[in-house]
Amino acid sequence: MKLKVQEEAAQWYKDELELEQNDSLRFFVRYGGVGGLQPGMSLGVRPDEPAEPIAEDQQEGIRFYVEQEDAWYFDDYNVTVKYDPDTQEPDFDYYQEDSE
């Protein structure tokens, strides 16, 4: 799987969560939420240090990553985290390699 965080989305997380240079932000699977890839599940975020990352991206001085234990959620999909100016928050765009 690939993880890509666009610059505008990274800046949003940095501002909203008061992240500093060299901080890490984990995307993790949580029960509930809306718009997830798997029914009844969605992605949450929290500042954390990586243990076994399967995908990561560096933007705005922040390390964004997904841990191995959450790989099942993506089911061979990649994700791009974009900033949506209409909702003024990040949005997750899931895609498979051949549709990139």
Side-chain angles (χ1 to χ4, degrees), residues 1-3 37-38 54-55 66 68 70-79 93-100:
M1 93 160 271
K2 293 180 184 175
L3 170 66
L37 184 59
Q38 303 291 344
I54 59 158
V66 174
Q68 176 64 43
D70 293 320
W72 63 270
Y73 175 83
F74 295 93
D75 192 29
D76 295 324
Y77 279 80
N78 301 304
V79 63
D93 182 20
Y94 300 100
Y95 63 94
Q96 290 185 306
E97 197 65 42
D98 58 335
S99 65
E100 184 176 11

mmCIF file with all atom_site columns, all heavy atoms in Angstrom, residues 1-3 37-38 54-55 66 68 70-79 93-100:
data_model
loop_
_atom_site.group_PDB
_atom_site.id
_atom_site.type_symbol
_atom_site.label_atom_id
_atom_site.label_alt_id
_atom_site.label_comp_id
_atom_site.label_asym_id
_atom_site.label_entity_id
_atom_site.label_seq_id
_atom_site.pdbx_PDB_ins_code
_atom_site.Cartn_x
_atom_site.Cartn_y
_atom_site.Cartn_z
_atom_site.occupancy
_atom_site.B_iso_or_equiv
_atom_site.pdbx_formal_charge
_atom_site.auth_seq_id
_atom_site.auth_comp_id
_atom_site.auth_asym_id
_atom_site.auth_atom_id
_atom_site.pdbx_PDB_model_num
ATOM 1   N N   . MET A 1 1   ? 0.837   -1.179 0.000   1.00 0.00 ? 1   MET A N   1
ATOM 2   C CA  . MET A 1 1   ? 0.000   0.000  0.000   1.00 0.00 ? 1   MET A CA  1
ATOM 3   C C   . MET A 1 1   ? 0.877   1.235  0.000   1.00 0.00 ? 1   MET A C   1
ATOM 4   O O   . MET A 1 1   ? 1.997   1.214  0.484   1.00 0.00 ? 1   MET A O   1
ATOM 5   C CB  . MET A 1 1   ? -0.945  -0.016 1.187   1.00 0.00 ? 1   MET A CB  1
ATOM 6   C CG  . MET A 1 1   ? -0.417  0.699  2.417   1.00 0.00 ? 1   MET A CG  1
ATOM 7   S SD  . MET A 1 1   ? -1.641  1.200  3.624   1.00 0.00 ? 1   MET A SD  1
ATOM 8   C CE  . MET A 1 1   ? -2.076  2.788  3.046   1.00 0.00 ? 1   MET A CE  1
ATOM 9   N N   . LYS A 1 2   ? 0.334   2.314  -0.575  1.00 0.00 ? 2   LYS A N   1
ATOM 10  C CA  . LYS A 1 2   ? 1.030   3.590  -0.599  1.00 0.00 ? 2   LYS A CA  1
ATOM 11  C C   . LYS A 1 2   ? 0.196   4.628  0.152   1.00 0.00 ? 2   LYS A C   1
ATOM 12  O O   . LYS A 1 2   ? -1.036  4.604  0.086   1.00 0.00 ? 2   LYS A O   1
ATOM 13  C CB  . LYS A 1 2   ? 1.243   4.067  -2.034  1.00 0.00 ? 2   LYS A CB  1
ATOM 14  C CG  . LYS A 1 2   ? 2.200   3.212  -2.822  1.00 0.00 ? 2   LYS A CG  1
ATOM 15  C CD  . LYS A 1 2   ? 2.354   3.747  -4.227  1.00 0.00 ? 2   LYS A CD  1
ATOM 16  C CE  . LYS A 1 2   ? 3.233   2.828  -5.056  1.00 0.00 ? 2   LYS A CE  1
ATOM 17  N NZ  . LYS A 1 2   ? 3.293   3.267  -6.454  1.00 0.00 ? 2   LYS A NZ  1
ATOM 18  N N   . LEU A 1 3   ? 0.880   5.508  0.830   1.00 0.00 ? 3   LEU A N   1
ATOM 19  C CA  . LEU A 1 3   ? 0.245   6.617  1.532   1.00 0.00 ? 3   LEU A CA  1
ATOM 20  C C   . LEU A 1 3   ? 0.837   7.910  0.994   1.00 0.00 ? 3   LEU A C   1
ATOM 21  O O   . LEU A 1 3   ? 2.059   8.071  0.952   1.00 0.00 ? 3   LEU A O   1
ATOM 22  C CB  . LEU A 1 3   ? 0.508   6.512  3.035   1.00 0.00 ? 3   LEU A CB  1
ATOM 23  C CG  . LEU A 1 3   ? 0.114   7.721  3.885   1.00 0.00 ? 3   LEU A CG  1
ATOM 24  C CD1 . LEU A 1 3   ? -1.400  7.917  3.869   1.00 0.00 ? 3   LEU A CD1 1
ATOM 25  C CD2 . LEU A 1 3   ? 0.613   7.525  5.314   1.00 0.00 ? 3   LEU A CD2 1
ATOM 26  N N   . LEU A 1 37  ? -13.329 2.933  4.069   1.00 0.00 ? 37  LEU A N   1
ATOM 27  C CA  . LEU A 1 37  ? -13.141 1.952  3.010   1.00 0.00 ? 37  LEU A CA  1
ATOM 28  C C   . LEU A 1 37  ? -13.847 0.642  3.342   1.00 0.00 ? 37  LEU A C   1
ATOM 29  O O   . LEU A 1 37  ? -14.381 -0.023 2.466   1.00 0.00 ? 37  LEU A O   1
ATOM 30  C CB  . LEU A 1 37  ? -11.637 1.715  2.805   1.00 0.00 ? 37  LEU A CB  1
ATOM 31  C CG  . LEU A 1 37  ? -11.215 0.794  1.680   1.00 0.00 ? 37  LEU A CG  1
ATOM 32  C CD1 . LEU A 1 37  ? -11.716 1.308  0.335   1.00 0.00 ? 37  LEU A CD1 1
ATOM 33  C CD2 . LEU A 1 37  ? -9.699  0.670  1.648   1.00 0.00 ? 37  LEU A CD2 1
ATOM 34  N N   . GLN A 1 38  ? -13.854 0.265  4.625   1.00 0.00 ? 38  GLN A N   1
ATOM 35  C CA  . GLN A 1 38  ? -14.517 -0.959 5.080   1.00 0.00 ? 38  GLN A CA  1
ATOM 36  C C   . GLN A 1 38  ? -15.801 -0.583 5.825   1.00 0.00 ? 38  GLN A C   1
ATOM 37  O O   . GLN A 1 38  ? -15.793 0.365  6.615   1.00 0.00 ? 38  GLN A O   1
ATOM 38  C CB  . GLN A 1 38  ? -13.596 -1.757 6.018   1.00 0.00 ? 38  GLN A CB  1
ATOM 39  C CG  . GLN A 1 38  ? -12.266 -2.140 5.422   1.00 0.00 ? 38  GLN A CG  1
ATOM 40  C CD  . GLN A 1 38  ? -12.393 -3.173 4.319   1.00 0.00 ? 38  GLN A CD  1
ATOM 41  O OE1 . GLN A 1 38  ? -13.411 -3.832 4.170   1.00 0.00 ? 38  GLN A OE1 1
ATOM 42  N NE2 . GLN A 1 38  ? -11.352 -3.302 3.531   1.00 0.00 ? 38  GLN A NE2 1
ATOM 43  N N   . ILE A 1 54  ? 3.839   0.299  7.601   1.00 0.00 ? 54  ILE A N   1
ATOM 44  C CA  . ILE A 1 54  ? 3.785   -0.342 6.278   1.00 0.00 ? 54  ILE A CA  1
ATOM 45  C C   . ILE A 1 54  ? 3.749   0.696  5.168   1.00 0.00 ? 54  ILE A C   1
ATOM 46  O O   . ILE A 1 54  ? 3.991   0.382  4.014   1.00 0.00 ? 54  ILE A O   1
ATOM 47  C CB  . ILE A 1 54  ? 2.578   -1.288 6.124   1.00 0.00 ? 54  ILE A CB  1
ATOM 48  C CG1 . ILE A 1 54  ? 1.275   -0.530 6.330   1.00 0.00 ? 54  ILE A CG1 1
ATOM 49  C CG2 . ILE A 1 54  ? 2.702   -2.487 7.017   1.00 0.00 ? 54  ILE A CG2 1
ATOM 50  C CD1 . ILE A 1 54  ? 0.084   -1.210 5.711   1.00 0.00 ? 54  ILE A CD1 1
ATOM 51  N N   . ALA A 1 55  ? 3.393   1.932  5.533   1.00 0.00 ? 55  ALA A N   1
ATOM 52  C CA  . ALA A 1 55  ? 3.355   3.022  4.559   1.00 0.00 ? 55  ALA A CA  1
ATOM 53  C C   . ALA A 1 55  ? 3.595   4.318  5.313   1.00 0.00 ? 55  ALA A C   1
ATOM 54  O O   . ALA A 1 55  ? 3.155   4.472  6.447   1.00 0.00 ? 55  ALA A O   1
ATOM 55  C CB  . ALA A 1 55  ? 2.007   3.061  3.856   1.00 0.00 ? 55  ALA A CB  1
ATOM 56  N N   . VAL A 1 66  ? 1.033   4.521  8.534   1.00 0.00 ? 66  VAL A N   1
ATOM 57  C CA  . VAL A 1 66  ? 0.064   3.476  8.863   1.00 0.00 ? 66  VAL A CA  1
ATOM 58  C C   . VAL A 1 66  ? 0.861   2.288  9.381   1.00 0.00 ? 66  VAL A C   1
ATOM 59  O O   . VAL A 1 66  ? 1.882   1.912  8.786   1.00 0.00 ? 66  VAL A O   1
ATOM 60  C CB  . VAL A 1 66  ? -0.759  3.059  7.612   1.00 0.00 ? 66  VAL A CB  1
ATOM 61  C CG1 . VAL A 1 66  ? -1.665  1.876  7.920   1.00 0.00 ? 66  VAL A CG1 1
ATOM 62  C CG2 . VAL A 1 66  ? -1.547  4.246  7.077   1.00 0.00 ? 66  VAL A CG2 1
ATOM 63  N N   . GLN A 1 68  ? 1.498   -1.767 10.475  1.00 0.00 ? 68  GLN A N   1
ATOM 64  C CA  . GLN A 1 68  ? 1.254   -3.094 9.923   1.00 0.00 ? 68  GLN A CA  1
ATOM 65  C C   . GLN A 1 68  ? -0.081  -3.679 10.411  1.00 0.00 ? 68  GLN A C   1
ATOM 66  O O   . GLN A 1 68  ? -0.815  -4.283 9.639   1.00 0.00 ? 68  GLN A O   1
ATOM 67  C CB  . GLN A 1 68  ? 2.419   -4.030 10.291  1.00 0.00 ? 68  GLN A CB  1
ATOM 68  C CG  . GLN A 1 68  ? 2.232   -5.473 9.856   1.00 0.00 ? 68  GLN A CG  1
ATOM 69  C CD  . GLN A 1 68  ? 2.172   -5.639 8.347   1.00 0.00 ? 68  GLN A CD  1
ATOM 70  O OE1 . GLN A 1 68  ? 2.949   -5.023 7.630   1.00 0.00 ? 68  GLN A OE1 1
ATOM 71  N NE2 . GLN A 1 68  ? 1.263   -6.458 7.867   1.00 0.00 ? 68  GLN A NE2 1
ATOM 72  N N   . ASP A 1 70  ? -2.810  -2.414 10.886  1.00 0.00 ? 70  ASP A N   1
ATOM 73  C CA  . ASP A 1 70  ? -3.974  -1.842 10.219  1.00 0.00 ? 70  ASP A CA  1
ATOM 74  C C   . ASP A 1 70  ? -4.003  -2.111 8.711   1.00 0.00 ? 70  ASP A C   1
ATOM 75  O O   . ASP A 1 70  ? -4.868  -1.600 8.004   1.00 0.00 ? 70  ASP A O   1
ATOM 76  C CB  . ASP A 1 70  ? -4.021  -0.332 10.472  1.00 0.00 ? 70  ASP A CB  1
ATOM 77  C CG  . ASP A 1 70  ? -4.277  -0.015 11.943  1.00 0.00 ? 70  ASP A CG  1
ATOM 78  O OD1 . ASP A 1 70  ? -5.101  -0.703 12.564  1.00 0.00 ? 70  ASP A OD1 1
ATOM 79  O OD2 . ASP A 1 70  ? -3.642  0.921  12.464  1.00 0.00 ? 70  ASP A OD2 1
ATOM 80  N N   . ALA A 1 71  ? -3.079  -2.924 8.224   1.00 0.00 ? 71  ALA A N   1
ATOM 81  C CA  . ALA A 1 71  ? -2.983  -3.200 6.782   1.00 0.00 ? 71  ALA A CA  1
ATOM 82  C C   . ALA A 1 71  ? -4.261  -3.820 6.220   1.00 0.00 ? 71  ALA A C   1
ATOM 83  O O   . ALA A 1 71  ? -4.650  -3.531 5.084   1.00 0.00 ? 71  ALA A O   1
ATOM 84  C CB  . ALA A 1 71  ? -1.794  -4.116 6.500   1.00 0.00 ? 71  ALA A CB  1
ATOM 85  N N   . TRP A 1 72  ? -4.943  -4.666 6.995   1.00 0.00 ? 72  TRP A N   1
ATOM 86  C CA  . TRP A 1 72  ? -6.159  -5.351 6.523   1.00 0.00 ? 72  TRP A CA  1
ATOM 87  C C   . TRP A 1 72  ? -7.218  -4.358 6.052   1.00 0.00 ? 72  TRP A C   1
ATOM 88  O O   . TRP A 1 72  ? -7.965  -4.645 5.117   1.00 0.00 ? 72  TRP A O   1
ATOM 89  C CB  . TRP A 1 72  ? -6.743  -6.228 7.629   1.00 0.00 ? 72  TRP A CB  1
ATOM 90  C CG  . TRP A 1 72  ? -7.192  -5.424 8.823   1.00 0.00 ? 72  TRP A CG  1
ATOM 91  C CD1 . TRP A 1 72  ? -6.445  -5.094 9.916   1.00 0.00 ? 72  TRP A CD1 1
ATOM 92  C CD2 . TRP A 1 72  ? -8.475  -4.827 9.014   1.00 0.00 ? 72  TRP A CD2 1
ATOM 93  N NE1 . TRP A 1 72  ? -7.184  -4.321 10.785  1.00 0.00 ? 72  TRP A NE1 1
ATOM 94  C CE2 . TRP A 1 72  ? -8.438  -4.146 10.255  1.00 0.00 ? 72  TRP A CE2 1
ATOM 95  C CE3 . TRP A 1 72  ? -9.650  -4.797 8.268   1.00 0.00 ? 72  TRP A CE3 1
ATOM 96  C CZ2 . TRP A 1 72  ? -9.535  -3.448 10.764  1.00 0.00 ? 72  TRP A CZ2 1
ATOM 97  C CZ3 . TRP A 1 72  ? -10.741 -4.099 8.777   1.00 0.00 ? 72  TRP A CZ3 1
ATOM 98  C CH2 . TRP A 1 72  ? -10.681 -3.436 10.010  1.00 0.00 ? 72  TRP A CH2 1
ATOM 99  N N   . TYR A 1 73  ? -7.286  -3.211 6.670   1.00 0.00 ? 73  TYR A N   1
ATOM 100 C CA  . TYR A 1 73  ? -8.315  -2.224 6.351   1.00 0.00 ? 73  TYR A CA  1
ATOM 101 C C   . TYR A 1 73  ? -8.217  -1.744 4.903   1.00 0.00 ? 73  TYR A C   1
ATOM 102 O O   . TYR A 1 73  ? -9.224  -1.492 4.254   1.00 0.00 ? 73  TYR A O   1
ATOM 103 C CB  . TYR A 1 73  ? -8.177  -1.029 7.304   1.00 0.00 ? 73  TYR A CB  1
ATOM 104 C CG  . TYR A 1 73  ? -9.104  0.117  7.008   1.00 0.00 ? 73  TYR A CG  1
ATOM 105 C CD1 . TYR A 1 73  ? -10.416 0.101  7.465   1.00 0.00 ? 73  TYR A CD1 1
ATOM 106 C CD2 . TYR A 1 73  ? -8.680  1.221  6.272   1.00 0.00 ? 73  TYR A CD2 1
ATOM 107 C CE1 . TYR A 1 73  ? -11.280 1.155  7.205   1.00 0.00 ? 73  TYR A CE1 1
ATOM 108 C CE2 . TYR A 1 73  ? -9.528  2.276  6.006   1.00 0.00 ? 73  TYR A CE2 1
ATOM 109 C CZ  . TYR A 1 73  ? -10.822 2.235  6.469   1.00 0.00 ? 73  TYR A CZ  1
ATOM 110 O OH  . TYR A 1 73  ? -11.669 3.279  6.199   1.00 0.00 ? 73  TYR A OH  1
ATOM 111 N N   . PHE A 1 74  ? -7.000  -1.637 4.397   1.00 0.00 ? 74  PHE A N   1
ATOM 112 C CA  . PHE A 1 74  ? -6.779  -1.067 3.077   1.00 0.00 ? 74  PHE A CA  1
ATOM 113 C C   . PHE A 1 74  ? -7.012  -2.052 1.950   1.00 0.00 ? 74  PHE A C   1
ATOM 114 O O   . PHE A 1 74  ? -7.231  -1.639 0.812   1.00 0.00 ? 74  PHE A O   1
ATOM 115 C CB  . PHE A 1 74  ? -5.376  -0.462 3.000   1.00 0.00 ? 74  PHE A CB  1
ATOM 116 C CG  . PHE A 1 74  ? -5.242  0.708  3.932   1.00 0.00 ? 74  PHE A CG  1
ATOM 117 C CD1 . PHE A 1 74  ? -4.762  0.531  5.214   1.00 0.00 ? 74  PHE A CD1 1
ATOM 118 C CD2 . PHE A 1 74  ? -5.652  1.962  3.533   1.00 0.00 ? 74  PHE A CD2 1
ATOM 119 C CE1 . PHE A 1 74  ? -4.663  1.600  6.082   1.00 0.00 ? 74  PHE A CE1 1
ATOM 120 C CE2 . PHE A 1 74  ? -5.561  3.039  4.394   1.00 0.00 ? 74  PHE A CE2 1
ATOM 121 C CZ  . PHE A 1 74  ? -5.064  2.853  5.676   1.00 0.00 ? 74  PHE A CZ  1
ATOM 122 N N   . ASP A 1 75  ? -6.968  -3.365 2.234   1.00 0.00 ? 75  ASP A N   1
ATOM 123 C CA  . ASP A 1 75  ? -7.376  -4.387 1.266   1.00 0.00 ? 75  ASP A CA  1
ATOM 124 C C   . ASP A 1 75  ? -6.810  -4.113 -0.132  1.00 0.00 ? 75  ASP A C   1
ATOM 125 O O   . ASP A 1 75  ? -7.543  -4.039 -1.111  1.00 0.00 ? 75  ASP A O   1
ATOM 126 C CB  . ASP A 1 75  ? -8.900  -4.464 1.229   1.00 0.00 ? 75  ASP A CB  1
ATOM 127 C CG  . ASP A 1 75  ? -9.400  -5.686 0.485   1.00 0.00 ? 75  ASP A CG  1
ATOM 128 O OD1 . ASP A 1 75  ? -8.695  -6.708 0.462   1.00 0.00 ? 75  ASP A OD1 1
ATOM 129 O OD2 . ASP A 1 75  ? -10.518 -5.615 -0.082  1.00 0.00 ? 75  ASP A OD2 1
ATOM 130 N N   . ASP A 1 76  ? -5.487  -3.925 -0.213  1.00 0.00 ? 76  ASP A N   1
ATOM 131 C CA  . ASP A 1 76  ? -4.786  -3.664 -1.471  1.00 0.00 ? 76  ASP A CA  1
ATOM 132 C C   . ASP A 1 76  ? -5.093  -2.311 -2.104  1.00 0.00 ? 76  ASP A C   1
ATOM 133 O O   . ASP A 1 76  ? -4.853  -2.105 -3.289  1.00 0.00 ? 76  ASP A O   1
ATOM 134 C CB  . ASP A 1 76  ? -5.036  -4.781 -2.492  1.00 0.00 ? 76  ASP A CB  1
ATOM 135 C CG  . ASP A 1 76  ? -4.456  -6.107 -2.021  1.00 0.00 ? 76  ASP A CG  1
ATOM 136 O OD1 . ASP A 1 76  ? -3.386  -6.093 -1.377  1.00 0.00 ? 76  ASP A OD1 1
ATOM 137 O OD2 . ASP A 1 76  ? -5.078  -7.149 -2.282  1.00 0.00 ? 76  ASP A OD2 1
ATOM 138 N N   . TYR A 1 77  ? -5.637  -1.394 -1.338  1.00 0.00 ? 77  TYR A N   1
ATOM 139 C CA  . TYR A 1 77  ? -5.856  -0.031 -1.812  1.00 0.00 ? 77  TYR A CA  1
ATOM 140 C C   . TYR A 1 77  ? -4.742  0.871  -1.296  1.00 0.00 ? 77  TYR A C   1
ATOM 141 O O   . TYR A 1 77  ? -4.140  0.608  -0.257  1.00 0.00 ? 77  TYR A O   1
ATOM 142 C CB  . TYR A 1 77  ? -7.193  0.526  -1.314  1.00 0.00 ? 77  TYR A CB  1
ATOM 143 C CG  . TYR A 1 77  ? -8.382  0.081  -2.118  1.00 0.00 ? 77  TYR A CG  1
ATOM 144 C CD1 . TYR A 1 77  ? -8.934  -1.177 -1.918  1.00 0.00 ? 77  TYR A CD1 1
ATOM 145 C CD2 . TYR A 1 77  ? -8.952  0.911  -3.075  1.00 0.00 ? 77  TYR A CD2 1
ATOM 146 C CE1 . TYR A 1 77  ? -10.031 -1.597 -2.646  1.00 0.00 ? 77  TYR A CE1 1
ATOM 147 C CE2 . TYR A 1 77  ? -10.050 0.490  -3.814  1.00 0.00 ? 77  TYR A CE2 1
ATOM 148 C CZ  . TYR A 1 77  ? -10.587 -0.754 -3.594  1.00 0.00 ? 77  TYR A CZ  1
ATOM 149 O OH  . TYR A 1 77  ? -11.661 -1.169 -4.324  1.00 0.00 ? 77  TYR A OH  1
ATOM 150 N N   . ASN A 1 78  ? -4.495  1.941  -2.023  1.00 0.00 ? 78  ASN A N   1
ATOM 151 C CA  . ASN A 1 78  ? -3.607  3.013  -1.601  1.00 0.00 ? 78  ASN A CA  1
ATOM 152 C C   . ASN A 1 78  ? -4.496  4.171  -1.157  1.00 0.00 ? 78  ASN A C   1
ATOM 153 O O   . ASN A 1 78  ? -5.695  4.191  -1.459  1.00 0.00 ? 78  ASN A O   1
ATOM 154 C CB  . ASN A 1 78  ? -2.727  3.461  -2.766  1.00 0.00 ? 78  ASN A CB  1
ATOM 155 C CG  . ASN A 1 78  ? -1.896  2.326  -3.307  1.00 0.00 ? 78  ASN A CG  1
ATOM 156 O OD1 . ASN A 1 78  ? -1.149  1.677  -2.580  1.00 0.00 ? 78  ASN A OD1 1
ATOM 157 N ND2 . ASN A 1 78  ? -2.036  2.049  -4.596  1.00 0.00 ? 78  ASN A ND2 1
ATOM 158 N N   . VAL A 1 79  ? -3.909  5.141  -0.495  1.00 0.00 ? 79  VAL A N   1
ATOM 159 C CA  . VAL A 1 79  ? -4.711  6.294  -0.059  1.00 0.00 ? 79  VAL A CA  1
ATOM 160 C C   . VAL A 1 79  ? -3.921  7.583  -0.244  1.00 0.00 ? 79  VAL A C   1
ATOM 161 O O   . VAL A 1 79  ? -2.726  7.636  0.023   1.00 0.00 ? 79  VAL A O   1
ATOM 162 C CB  . VAL A 1 79  ? -5.198  6.138  1.397   1.00 0.00 ? 79  VAL A CB  1
ATOM 163 C CG1 . VAL A 1 79  ? -4.040  6.093  2.375   1.00 0.00 ? 79  VAL A CG1 1
ATOM 164 C CG2 . VAL A 1 79  ? -6.176  7.240  1.768   1.00 0.00 ? 79  VAL A CG2 1
ATOM 165 N N   . ASP A 1 93  ? -8.805  9.695  -0.265  1.00 0.00 ? 93  ASP A N   1
ATOM 166 C CA  . ASP A 1 93  ? -9.075  9.199  -1.614  1.00 0.00 ? 93  ASP A CA  1
ATOM 167 C C   . ASP A 1 93  ? -8.406  7.829  -1.749  1.00 0.00 ? 93  ASP A C   1
ATOM 168 O O   . ASP A 1 93  ? -7.186  7.747  -1.819  1.00 0.00 ? 93  ASP A O   1
ATOM 169 C CB  . ASP A 1 93  ? -8.520  10.187 -2.643  1.00 0.00 ? 93  ASP A CB  1
ATOM 170 C CG  . ASP A 1 93  ? -8.808  9.769  -4.068  1.00 0.00 ? 93  ASP A CG  1
ATOM 171 O OD1 . ASP A 1 93  ? -9.732  8.958  -4.281  1.00 0.00 ? 93  ASP A OD1 1
ATOM 172 O OD2 . ASP A 1 93  ? -8.102  10.245 -4.968  1.00 0.00 ? 93  ASP A OD2 1
ATOM 173 N N   . TYR A 1 94  ? -9.213  6.768  -1.765  1.00 0.00 ? 94  TYR A N   1
ATOM 174 C CA  . TYR A 1 94  ? -8.696  5.402  -1.873  1.00 0.00 ? 94  TYR A CA  1
ATOM 175 C C   . TYR A 1 94  ? -8.663  4.985  -3.342  1.00 0.00 ? 94  TYR A C   1
ATOM 176 O O   . TYR A 1 94  ? -9.599  5.257  -4.086  1.00 0.00 ? 94  TYR A O   1
ATOM 177 C CB  . TYR A 1 94  ? -9.601  4.431  -1.100  1.00 0.00 ? 94  TYR A CB  1
ATOM 178 C CG  . TYR A 1 94  ? -9.700  4.758  0.378   1.00 0.00 ? 94  TYR A CG  1
ATOM 179 C CD1 . TYR A 1 94  ? -10.802 5.448  0.875   1.00 0.00 ? 94  TYR A CD1 1
ATOM 180 C CD2 . TYR A 1 94  ? -8.708  4.387  1.254   1.00 0.00 ? 94  TYR A CD2 1
ATOM 181 C CE1 . TYR A 1 94  ? -10.893 5.751  2.232   1.00 0.00 ? 94  TYR A CE1 1
ATOM 182 C CE2 . TYR A 1 94  ? -8.785  4.676  2.605   1.00 0.00 ? 94  TYR A CE2 1
ATOM 183 C CZ  . TYR A 1 94  ? -9.893  5.359  3.081   1.00 0.00 ? 94  TYR A CZ  1
ATOM 184 O OH  . TYR A 1 94  ? -9.971  5.664  4.408   1.00 0.00 ? 94  TYR A OH  1
ATOM 185 N N   . TYR A 1 95  ? -7.594  4.340  -3.752  1.00 0.00 ? 95  TYR A N   1
ATOM 186 C CA  . TYR A 1 95  ? -7.482  3.902  -5.148  1.00 0.00 ? 95  TYR A CA  1
ATOM 187 C C   . TYR A 1 95  ? -6.594  2.657  -5.213  1.00 0.00 ? 95  TYR A C   1
ATOM 188 O O   . TYR A 1 95  ? -5.779  2.411  -4.336  1.00 0.00 ? 95  TYR A O   1
ATOM 189 C CB  . TYR A 1 95  ? -6.900  5.016  -6.027  1.00 0.00 ? 95  TYR A CB  1
ATOM 190 C CG  . TYR A 1 95  ? -5.481  5.407  -5.653  1.00 0.00 ? 95  TYR A CG  1
ATOM 191 C CD1 . TYR A 1 95  ? -4.401  4.831  -6.303  1.00 0.00 ? 95  TYR A CD1 1
ATOM 192 C CD2 . TYR A 1 95  ? -5.241  6.328  -4.642  1.00 0.00 ? 95  TYR A CD2 1
ATOM 193 C CE1 . TYR A 1 95  ? -3.092  5.161  -5.949  1.00 0.00 ? 95  TYR A CE1 1
ATOM 194 C CE2 . TYR A 1 95  ? -3.942  6.664  -4.295  1.00 0.00 ? 95  TYR A CE2 1
ATOM 195 C CZ  . TYR A 1 95  ? -2.882  6.085  -4.954  1.00 0.00 ? 95  TYR A CZ  1
ATOM 196 O OH  . TYR A 1 95  ? -1.605  6.410  -4.598  1.00 0.00 ? 95  TYR A OH  1
ATOM 197 N N   . GLN A 1 96  ? -6.805  1.900  -6.277  1.00 0.00 ? 96  GLN A N   1
ATOM 198 C CA  . GLN A 1 96  ? -5.954  0.755  -6.536  1.00 0.00 ? 96  GLN A CA  1
ATOM 199 C C   . GLN A 1 96  ? -4.903  1.179  -7.546  1.00 0.00 ? 96  GLN A C   1
ATOM 200 O O   . GLN A 1 96  ? -5.078  2.127  -8.297  1.00 0.00 ? 96  GLN A O   1
ATOM 201 C CB  . GLN A 1 96  ? -6.756  -0.435 -7.014  1.00 0.00 ? 96  GLN A CB  1
ATOM 202 C CG  . GLN A 1 96  ? -7.608  -0.991 -5.872  1.00 0.00 ? 96  GLN A CG  1
ATOM 203 C CD  . GLN A 1 96  ? -8.330  -2.253 -6.248  1.00 0.00 ? 96  GLN A CD  1
ATOM 204 O OE1 . GLN A 1 96  ? -9.043  -2.282 -7.228  1.00 0.00 ? 96  GLN A OE1 1
ATOM 205 N NE2 . GLN A 1 96  ? -8.154  -3.275 -5.441  1.00 0.00 ? 96  GLN A NE2 1
ATOM 206 N N   . GLU A 1 97  ? -3.786  0.471  -7.551  1.00 0.00 ? 97  GLU A N   1
ATOM 207 C CA  . GLU A 1 97  ? -2.609  0.858  -8.342  1.00 0.00 ? 97  GLU A CA  1
ATOM 208 C C   . GLU A 1 97  ? -2.925  1.142  -9.804  1.00 0.00 ? 97  GLU A C   1
ATOM 209 O O   . GLU A 1 97  ? -2.459  2.101  -10.366 1.00 0.00 ? 97  GLU A O   1
ATOM 210 C CB  . GLU A 1 97  ? -1.535  -0.231 -8.255  1.00 0.00 ? 97  GLU A CB  1
ATOM 211 C CG  . GLU A 1 97  ? -0.179  0.228  -8.683  1.00 0.00 ? 97  GLU A CG  1
ATOM 212 C CD  . GLU A 1 97  ? 0.403   1.318  -7.766  1.00 0.00 ? 97  GLU A CD  1
ATOM 213 O OE1 . GLU A 1 97  ? 0.266   1.207  -6.558  1.00 0.00 ? 97  GLU A OE1 1
ATOM 214 O OE2 . GLU A 1 97  ? 0.997   2.273  -8.300  1.00 0.00 ? 97  GLU A OE2 1
ATOM 215 N N   . ASP A 1 98  ? -3.788  0.341  -10.420 1.00 0.00 ? 98  ASP A N   1
ATOM 216 C CA  . ASP A 1 98  ? -4.058  0.505  -11.832 1.00 0.00 ? 98  ASP A CA  1
ATOM 217 C C   . ASP A 1 98  ? -4.918  1.740  -12.127 1.00 0.00 ? 98  ASP A C   1
ATOM 218 O O   . ASP A 1 98  ? -4.991  2.191  -13.251 1.00 0.00 ? 98  ASP A O   1
ATOM 219 C CB  . ASP A 1 98  ? -4.735  -0.727 -12.433 1.00 0.00 ? 98  ASP A CB  1
ATOM 220 C CG  . ASP A 1 98  ? -6.044  -1.084 -11.744 1.00 0.00 ? 98  ASP A CG  1
ATOM 221 O OD1 . ASP A 1 98  ? -6.230  -0.738 -10.567 1.00 0.00 ? 98  ASP A OD1 1
ATOM 222 O OD2 . ASP A 1 98  ? -6.886  -1.716 -12.400 1.00 0.00 ? 98  ASP A OD2 1
ATOM 223 N N   . SER A 1 99  ? -5.533  2.349  -11.106 1.00 0.00 ? 99  SER A N   1
ATOM 224 C CA  . SER A 1 99  ? -6.367  3.535  -11.345 1.00 0.00 ? 99  SER A CA  1
ATOM 225 C C   . SER A 1 99  ? -5.675  4.830  -10.939 1.00 0.00 ? 99  SER A C   1
ATOM 226 O O   . SER A 1 99  ? -6.261  5.870  -10.951 1.00 0.00 ? 99  SER A O   1
ATOM 227 C CB  . SER A 1 99  ? -7.690  3.406  -10.588 1.00 0.00 ? 99  SER A CB  1
ATOM 228 O OG  . SER A 1 99  ? -7.450  3.402  -9.186  1.00 0.00 ? 99  SER A OG  1
ATOM 229 N N   . GLU A 1 100 ? -4.389  4.739  -10.596 1.00 0.00 ? 100 GLU A N   1
ATOM 230 C CA  . GLU A 1 100 ? -3.648  5.922  -10.166 1.00 0.00 ? 100 GLU A CA  1
ATOM 231 C C   . GLU A 1 100 ? -3.415  6.875  -11.311 1.00 0.00 ? 100 GLU A C   1
ATOM 232 O O   . GLU A 1 100 ? -3.193  6.541  -12.424 1.00 0.00 ? 100 GLU A O   1
ATOM 233 C CB  . GLU A 1 100 ? -2.310  5.489  -9.558  1.00 0.00 ? 100 GLU A CB  1
ATOM 234 C CG  . GLU A 1 100 ? -1.539  6.642  -9.010  1.00 0.00 ? 100 GLU A CG  1
ATOM 235 C CD  . GLU A 1 100 ? -0.272  6.191  -8.323  1.00 0.00 ? 100 GLU A CD  1
ATOM 236 O OE1 . GLU A 1 100 ? 0.118   5.022  -8.453  1.00 0.00 ? 100 GLU A OE1 1
ATOM 237 O OE2 . GLU A 1 100 ? 0.337   7.017  -7.658  1.00 0.00 ? 100 GLU A OE2 1
#
